[in-house]
Amino acid sequence: MLTSREELDAELGEAARAWLDAALAEAADDAARPQTAADDAARSDAAADGAARSGAAADASRTAASPYASPSWELRYAAAGRHCGQRHADSVRLLLLVEARAPLASVTRLYDQGTAAERRAVLLTLHLLDLGDTALPLVEDALRANDTRLVAAAVGPYAADHLAPHAWRHAVLKCLFTEVPVTAVARLADRARGDTELARMLTDFAAERTAAGRPVPEDLRTALALTAPAGHPAPPTAAPAPTEES
């Protein structure tokens, strides 16, 4: 559960509040700093690179990003849990990213060099930043992972807005495979409605599990029901797997 700045001020101790004030001031200073032509070129290159990268090529090109270009608030981002507590770390990191109006170069660097918790905070904040679809490689990377915390964060509002239909359908299936609740999928009802291809994929998955004698997850039935066009019944799933008593 993310916490607002007002709630953080009420819950953090004096030292943690002072640290957060300083961290946000550094982020705001960086956001207000006039960008040089070199900065603009670097960020444009990073945006173009981020939009084009995927798979192994993405890993190689991300490694090439220079760590020496990091502004001071990025160091604060990594230290948020130590100074404000792990319970508030996601919220503090979100505030830093938003206050800094973090560009693609920063979110990519923080994701690539971060822990799982730091990566999750990046994913949770993407929809609040002015990045267009340039951060999709980060979402795609998280969806290839088996860390359910990253998968759940990757299917948030940013994915709902920017993932192409084919990739989004596979993201829904990834949630089912990894037992991430489909409630984590932002705008699931909107994007699933009338999606016959998603319905086919879910029905096939249900049939495979039934044939293997495994139960069909209730979340699959929930997602499948949402694929029906407005005013039409949901397509049926495969029959439930037999139990020992039957």
Side-chain angles (χ1 to χ4, degrees), residues 39-201:
D39 291 331
D40 291 340
R43 290 185 177 185
S44 296
D45 288 347
D49 184 47
R53 291 177 304 170
S54 63
D59 295 337
S61 60
R62 287 175 190 155
T63 302
S66 171
Y68 302 105
S70 304
S72 61
W73 68 266
E74 291 186 21
L75 301 179
R76 299 273 195 173
Y77 180 94
R82 185 164 68 254
H83 289 277
C84 298
Q86 295 302 324
R87 185 165 70 91
H88 297 306
D90 279 348
S91 300
V92 170
R93 288 172 178 142
L94 180 150
L95 289 172
L96 281 170
L97 289 167
V98 171
E99 192 69 32
R101 299 201 297 273
L104 180 63
S106 287
V107 296
T108 299
R109 185 163 47 239
L110 292 170
Y111 181 90
D112 288 342
Q113 299 177 3
T115 63
E118 291 162 25
R119 290 182 170 205
R120 181 181 65 247
V122 166
L123 294 167
L124 291 172
T125 312
L126 290 177
H127 67 291
L128 300 175
L129 304 173
D130 185 18
L131 298 172
D133 63 359
T134 61
L136 275 176
L138 306 185
V139 172
E140 292 163 352
D141 180 82
L143 289 172
R144 288 192 293 269
N146 290 320
D147 187 328
T148 55
R149 297 170 300 172
L150 294 183
V151 174
V155 293
Y158 185 82
D161 289 340
H162 297 292
L163 268 184
H166 179 75
W168 183 81
R169 294 178 191 119
H170 280 277
V172 174
L173 285 177
K174 178 77 173 192
C175 289
L176 295 171
F177 291 147
T178 57
E179 298 184 355
V180 169
V182 294
T183 53
V185 182
R187 290 177 43 213
L188 175 62
D190 291 340
R191 290 204 60 166
R193 186 176 299 113
D195 190 334
T196 56
E197 178 60 15
L198 177 61
R200 182 196 64 76
M201 294 167 68

Side-chain angles (χ1 to χ4, degrees), residues 2-55:
L2 294 175
T3 306
S4 69
R5 176 65 195 276
E6 291 74 17
E7 291 169 325
L8 284 172
D9 284 343
E11 296 180 20
L12 294 175
E14 182 177 352
R17 286 198 304 273
W19 182 91
L20 179 58
D21 287 342
L24 292 174
E26 289 176 13
D29 286 346
D30 187 63
R33 180 176 63 87
Q35 299 301 304
T36 66
D39 291 331
D40 291 340
R43 290 185 177 185
S44 296
D45 288 347
D49 184 47
R53 291 177 304 170
S54 63

